[in-house]
């Protein structure tokens, strides 16, 4: 996705948060908007860190791409700060800290799950390699026995 589309998602999420907080919604009912806003900021930060890619269909220069990324990230960061201030003003700093801790715990859980999945995938690949080697050794042994049998039967 391009930075402007991600920024539009962030702006929509911020608007949803602002309306929700103004209407007096509970924190739990605004979880999607919060996650969309933080997700958009994370994507924009990741995109801004990547080097600009010039493609055949993209007529923009590297400078234009970089400026577009920077401005989208800066505006998303501004929206995040506004959302934080609005959130803290309504629910208090303790609620914001609790949400932040929960985000950190969820990120840790996601990273732990990725690590476990990678470990399981590596173990499965190792198992497949071992099975392949054993199969090749058995096939080689059987082919040698078959060749020796043909030679011995051919000599009589």
């Amino acid at each position: 996705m391009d930075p402007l589309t991600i920024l539009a998602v962030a702006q929509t999420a911020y608007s949803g948060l602002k309306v929700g907080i103004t209407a007096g919604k509970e924190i739990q009912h605004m979880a999607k908007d919060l996650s969309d806003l933080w997700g958009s900021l994370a994507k924009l930060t990741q995109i801004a860190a990547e080097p600009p890619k010039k493609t055949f269909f993209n007529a923009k220069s590297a400078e234009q791409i970089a400026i577009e990324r920077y401005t989208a990230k800066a505006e998303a960061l501004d929206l995040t700060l506004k959302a934080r201030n609005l959130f803290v003003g309504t629910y208090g700093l303790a609620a914001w800290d609790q949400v932040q801790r929960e985000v950190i715990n969820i990120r840790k859980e996601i990273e732990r799950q990725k690590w476990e999945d990678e470990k399981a995938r590596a173990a499965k690949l190792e198992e497949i390699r071992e099975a392949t080697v054993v199969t090749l050794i058995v096939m080689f042994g059987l082919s040698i026995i078959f060749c020796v049998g043909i030679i011995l039967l051919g000599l009589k």
Side-chain angles (χ1 to χ4, degrees):
M1 256 200 265
D2 68 304
L4 297 179
T5 304
I6 297 170
L7 180 60
V9 170
Q11 289 170 335
T12 304
Y14 175 73
S15 297
L17 277 173
K18 192 173 181 181
V19 167
I21 289 173
T22 304
K25 281 188 178 179
E26 292 296 318
I27 297 170
Q28 296 83 358
H29 300 293
M30 294 182 292
K32 184 186 180 318
D33 291 328
L34 275 171
S35 76
D36 287 348
L37 184 59
W38 282 319
S40 297
L41 182 62
K43 285 178 191 172
L44 286 169
T45 302
Q46 182 182 10
I47 287 173
E50 295 173 355
K53 297 175 187 170
K54 182 109 169 146
T55 62
F56 183 72
F57 298 109
N58 187 356
K60 296 179 182 176
S61 69
E63 291 80 10
Q64 288 171 321
I65 294 169
I67 289 171
E68 187 177 276
R69 288 178 179 184
Y70 174 78
T71 55
K73 180 183 173 190
E75 189 168 338
L77 185 59
D78 183 52
L79 289 174
T80 304
L81 292 174
K82 285 179 184 177
R84 178 188 182 275
N85 290 337
L86 191 60
F87 193 92
V88 169
T90 304
Y91 299 107
L93 189 57
W96 179 258
D97 290 341
Q98 182 181 359
V99 169
Q100 292 299 320
R101 279 192 299 276
E102 188 63 29
V103 167
I104 290 168
N105 290 337
I106 290 171
R107 285 182 183 160
K108 284 179 182 178
E109 180 64 27
I110 290 170
E111 287 300 316
R112 186 189 62 77
Q113 187 64 43
K114 282 181 187 177
W115 181 79
E116 286 178 359
D117 291 347
E118 181 62 29
K119 188 177 172 183
R121 190 179 72 75
K124 188 173 183 176
L125 281 175
E126 185 61 30
E127 240 177 70
I128 291 171
R129 284 187 193 119
E130 289 174 3
T132 302
V133 168
V134 168
T135 302
L136 289 174
I137 290 172
V138 168
M139 295 296 284
F140 183 70
L142 288 175
S143 63
I144 289 176
I145 292 171
F146 180 72
C147 290
V148 169
I150 289 177
I151 292 172
L152 290 177
L153 288 175
L155 291 178
K156 288 188 180 184

